[in-house]
């Protein structure tokens, strides 16, 4: 165990009496696959890890355990989901114990997979700005920045925005904010037909497994979601492109002013569909229109929770 | 079963072989798109990808995610508008199909489907028609991955059961052998070179492949162990990190559950069959509003129970899992079914 893991472990041990369980990170089936670790008793902590592969947003589970007292380990990006859920009154702050982890970025397995065969990883480690991955046949060294998840490259919240305990020193944001909507701006340079073809092709792979929805910390409708509901019957169960597009648009629009840009929807997609782009477009609009970023300020009211006849920045103002 | 006959395709002639296969039939091949590999219909310009196991199984080739069972149209009687009739039209589609590049686990998966859909008492005509007209050309798995566990469920990297033709990569090309009569008939059409000279080399490759894999658990007593833990909190704790999405079931070569719905607009519509997943809340939701599996713990218990207990108990011990490991590799929460099984055996042992 590293020092940081020891500290987290110690904090969880001390807090375990105050909660039903703790959600941390644990060892997965190989060194690059980490799993959300549910700690019920001290011995569960044997599996605890805290490293560059801890990409999962543990706040994804909060919507399913609203009636429980829960401890949770969060990075900066994850903590925004916790704040947004509290802002919306969907979870109760008093039921939460939060361990915050200042973070300098986590690795996208998909990016790593593009660079090497990841089926036989035996060891993975970080040495300053490099990531070293060993397999049974080779050892590869990568620049850390080349492997980080997109969201880390423009991260403005390396330190959690809410916590009871912080493990490690506060980290000041150092990534360029301008990159935040670059993936959207790049796409918008393309002709409309090209974009149309692009989304037709990408979304055609969707298998309607709803991983993007289930992992989304803000998708709180859960079993009532219209993607499957027969009453209301807004979309059919067919696997046509029209349904697949509709599903993503419903998800994005339902997240307007709520999406915390954790990127989990895209990470979990088993068909590698770049759906985070859709969410980022929505977030860009929300930021331009309402000057609002989700999950930053406990006291703020999310823009679509209010209705003002004249929003400060809508173009209708000039009509 | 027929006497095994063999052919040989030199490395540089494999593309021609693929093209020839597609001439008279619908051909499915694995294709890489972004970071994933899936089976799609072959057409000119498509480059098949055989290097790694496909991300999704080949089940879509004969069990499409959506299929129309029939179409219907309500027609009003012009003389009496209170009366109307329903016209129904059949829609069975079953073109001759070849699936190239399956792994032994993919082909084994359909044996599980067969038990259910080809039950002699009530065969499913949609599946039956497509199954009869489909042929599987499997490739020996020379590089089984650490997530593979086909040996634990009675298969192996060079298993030919369920395939019509087995291809094994040898140094200078591909050794091709027939497993079924269907496979032999197809290969006779294709005018390939004799493969006898390569059979020894291929056998060696297959033996080596089989030796590469270990068995992470023993299925003996597993069915009883699962039932023993049925009403315990084992499932809730073990699967606490499961997101209850459909990744595992939809990528699985053996998961065959489906939904049937009517999708209507105005006076016409169709009855469709679509994939369904036991991990979804709606899967068992009853008309009354009662749901016998209200949480993911019961749902995952069903997934494991179905594969390793209820199915084998009902169908001569056949385990409804082919050990391909896709559910492990693609799970967003790193749920590992091997670990679930190892842990449940231990828990059942402790409770005994």
């Amino acid at each position: 165990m590293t020092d940081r893991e020891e500290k987290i472990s110690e904090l969880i041990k001390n807090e375990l009496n105050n909660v039903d369980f703790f959600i941390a990170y644990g060892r997965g089936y190989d060194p690059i696959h980490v799993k959300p670790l549910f700690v019920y008793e001290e011995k569960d902590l044997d599996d605890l890890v805290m490293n560059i592969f801890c990409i999962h947003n543990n706040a994804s589970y909060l919507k399913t355990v609203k009636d429980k007292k829960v401890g949770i380990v969060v990075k900066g990006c994850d903590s925004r989901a916790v704040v947004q859920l509290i802002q919306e009154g969907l979870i109760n702050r008093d039921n939460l114990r939060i361990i915050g982890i200042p973070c300098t970025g986590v690795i996208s397995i998909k990016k790593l997979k593009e660079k090497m065969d990841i089926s036989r990883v035996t060891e993975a480690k970080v040495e300053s700005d490099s990531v070293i991955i060993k397999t049974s046949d080779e050892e590869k060294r990568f620049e850390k920045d080349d492997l980080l998840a997109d969201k880390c490259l423009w991260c403005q919240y390396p330190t959690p925005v809410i916590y009871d305990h912080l493990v490690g020193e506060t980290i000041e944001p150092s990534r360029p904010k301008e990159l935040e909507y670059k993936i959207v701006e790049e796409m918008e340079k393309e002709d409309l037909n090209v974009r149309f073809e692009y989304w037709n092709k990408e979304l055609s792979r969707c298998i309607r497994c709803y991983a993007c929805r289930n992992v989304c910390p803000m998708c709180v409708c859960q079993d009532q979601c219209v993607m499957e509901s027969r009453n209301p019957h807004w979309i059919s169960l067919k696997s046509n492109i029209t349904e697949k597009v509709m599903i993503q648009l419903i998800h994005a629009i339902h997240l307007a002013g709520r999406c915390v840009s954790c990127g989990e929807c895209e990470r979990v997609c088993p068909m590698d569909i770049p759906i985070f782009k859709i969410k980022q477009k929505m977030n860009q609009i929300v930021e331009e229109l309402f000057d609002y970023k989700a999950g930053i300020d406990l006291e703020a009211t999310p823009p679509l929770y209010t209705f003002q006849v004249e929003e400060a920045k809508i173009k209708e103002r000039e009509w | 079963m027929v006497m095994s006959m063999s052919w040989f395709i030199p490395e540089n002639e494999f593309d021609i072989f693929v093209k020839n296969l597609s001439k008279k039939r619908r051909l499915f091949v694995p294709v890489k798109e972004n970071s994933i590999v899936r089976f799609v219909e072959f057409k000119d310009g498509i480059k098949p990808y055989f290097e790694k196991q496909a991300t999704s199984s080949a089940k879509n080739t004969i069990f499409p995610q959506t299929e129309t069972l029939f179409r219907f149209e309500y027609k009003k009687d012009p003389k009496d508008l209170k009366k109307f009739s329903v016209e129904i039209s059949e829609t069975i589609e079953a073109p001759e199909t070849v699936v190239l590049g399956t792994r032994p686990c993919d082909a084994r998966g359909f044996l599980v489907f067969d038990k259910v859909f080809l039950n002699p008492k009530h065969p499913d005509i949609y599946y039956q028609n497509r199954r009869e007209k489909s042929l599987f050309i499997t490739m020996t798995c020379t590089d089984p991955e650490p997530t593979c566990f086909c040996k634990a469920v009675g298969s192996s990297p060079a298993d030919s059961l369920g395939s019509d033709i087995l291809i094994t990569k040898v140094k200078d090309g591909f050794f091709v052998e027939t497993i079924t009569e269907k496979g032999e008939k197809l290969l006779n059409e294709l005018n390939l070179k004799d493969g006898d000279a390569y059979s020894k080399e291929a056998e060696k490759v297959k033996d080596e492949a089989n030796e590469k894999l270990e068995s992470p658990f023993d299925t003996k007593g597993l069915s009883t162990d699962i039932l023993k833990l049925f009403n315990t909190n084992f499932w809730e704790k073990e699967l606490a990190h499961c997101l209850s999405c459909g990744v595992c079931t939809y990528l699985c070569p053996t998961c065959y559950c489906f939904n049937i719905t009517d999708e209507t607009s105005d006076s016409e519509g169709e009855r469709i069959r679509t994939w369904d997943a036991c991990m979804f809340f709606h899967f068992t939701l009853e008309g009354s509003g009662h749901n016998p599996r209200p949480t993911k713990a019961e749902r995952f218990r069903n997934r494991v129970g179905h594969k390793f207990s209820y199915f084998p108990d009902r169908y001569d011990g056949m385990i409804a899992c082919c050990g391909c490991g896709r559910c492990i590799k693609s799970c967003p929460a790193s749920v590992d079914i091997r670990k679930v099984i190892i842990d449940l055996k231990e828990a059942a042992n402790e409770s005994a």
Side-chain angles (χ1 to χ4, degrees), chain B residues 18-19 22 29 31-32 40-48:
Chain B
V18 175
K19 199 146 193 174
S22 74
V29 291
V31 171
K32 192 165 186 291
V40 299
E41 227 177 300
F42 178 83
K43 54 181 188 241
D44 274 342
I46 273 188
K47 203 174 162 288

Side-chain angles (χ1 to χ4, degrees), chain A residues 29 34 36 40 56 61 113 117 119-120 202 205 207 209 214 223 230 233 236-239 267-268 270 272, chain B residues 33-36 52 65-66 143-144 146-147 240-241 243-244 246 250 259 262-263 270 274 281-282 332-334:
Chain A
Y29 67 87
V34 164
Y40 296 91
H56 316 66
Y61 296 97
K113 201 173 158 193
D117 177 5
S119 56
R120 287 184 179 75
E202 295 294 324
R205 290 198 302 279
I207 53 172
C209 67
N214 287 18
D223 303 335
R230 301 295 291 174
H233 187 189
S236 85
L237 288 180
K238 289 180 189 173
S239 26
R267 175 187 71 85
V268 301
D272 198 1
Chain B
E33 297 175 40
N34 295 3
S35 70
I36 67 111
K52 306 288 290 181
Q65 183 157 13
T66 300
D143 61 340
T147 41
H241 59 305
L243 291 163
S244 206
Y250 283 0
N259 199 351
D262 284 357
E263 302 294 350
E270 51 191 339
T274 46
F281 174 84
H282 287 260
S334 297

Side-chain angles (χ1 to χ4, degrees), chain A residues 28-29 33-36 38 40-41 47 56 60-61 64 68 110 113-114 117 119-120 201-202 204-211 213-215 223-225 228-230 233 235-240 267-268 270-274, chain B residues 33-38 52 55-56 65-66 143-147 236-237 240-247 250-251 259 261-264 270 272 274-275 280-282 294 296 299 328-336 338-339:
Chain A
Y29 67 87
H33 286 88
V34 164
K35 67 175 182 189
F38 280 64
Y40 296 91
E41 48 192 323
D47 276 341
H56 316 66
S60 297
Y61 296 97
T64 62
K68 298 267 198 306
K110 279 172 191 166
K113 201 173 158 193
E114 277 162 21
D117 177 5
S119 56
R120 287 184 179 75
K201 179 171 161 278
E202 295 294 324
S204 70
R205 290 198 302 279
C206 170
I207 53 172
R208 294 190 72 166
C209 67
Y210 309 127
R213 175 195 72 185
N214 287 18
V215 82
D223 303 335
Q224 315 301 326
C225 176
E228 290 167 280
S229 148
R230 301 295 291 174
H233 187 189
I235 37 180
S236 85
L237 288 180
K238 289 180 189 173
S239 26
N240 295 345
R267 175 187 71 85
V268 301
M271 293 290 111
D272 198 1
I273 305 170
Chain B
E33 297 175 40
N34 295 3
S35 70
I36 67 111
V37 180
R38 61 174 186 151
K52 306 288 290 181
T55 313
S56 44
Q65 183 157 13
T66 300
D143 61 340
E145 298 178 22
T147 41
E236 196 188 328
K237 290 197 167 171
H241 59 305
C242 167
L243 291 163
S244 206
C245 70
V247 171
Y250 283 0
L251 299 186
N259 199 351
T261 53
D262 284 357
E263 302 294 350
T264 317
E270 51 191 339
I272 59 166
T274 46
W275 291 0
F280 298 158
F281 174 84
H282 287 260
K296 64 185 178 189
R299 302 203 276 271
I328 307 168
K329 281 194 291 188
S330 288
C331 177
S334 297
V335 172
D336 182 344
R338 295 167 303 182
K339 186 176 181 307

